[in-house]
Amino acid sequence: MQDPYLYMTLAATSLAGLAIITVATLRGWNGWLELKRAELVRYGQSDNAPLPTAAARIEVADLKERIRKLEAIAAGVDL
């Protein structure tokens, strides 16, 4: 028959290893989330800034098309 302290030692060691792995994983996850938050703030999409609506994106696309046509007219290209 095996020594009961062996099983207790193995269980305690396994639990400690699992705790270390869990803490390291959670710290990595929190670091990754902080990185993504920093990227959003850097590119002007903070938590308070609303995302552009579909109508705003359509309007921007329309303005870009108008600019392209005006540039073509200024360059003398016939559309």
Side-chain angles (χ1 to χ4, degrees):
M1 188 162 162
Q2 298 260 342
D3 186 24
Y5 292 114
L6 175 66
Y7 293 123
M8 295 292 281
T9 305
L10 286 176
T13 305
S14 299
L15 187 60
L18 182 62
I20 290 170
I21 290 172
T22 302
V23 168
T25 303
L26 287 174
R27 283 189 183 177
W29 176 253
N30 284 334
W32 184 81
L33 287 177
E34 188 60 36
L35 173 68
K36 291 301 174 181
R37 283 188 196 108
E39 286 178 357
L40 287 174
V41 169
R42 180 178 179 190
Y43 294 113
Q45 295 180 351
S46 64
D47 293 337
N48 298 332
L51 294 175
T53 62
R57 284 184 264 152
I58 291 172
E59 186 176 343
V60 169
D62 184 46
L63 290 173
K64 285 182 181 180
E65 180 67 22
R66 287 182 184 182
I67 290 172
R68 188 186 65 79
K69 287 180 181 178
L70 288 173
E71 287 175 346
I73 291 170
V77 177
D78 190 23
L79 296 176

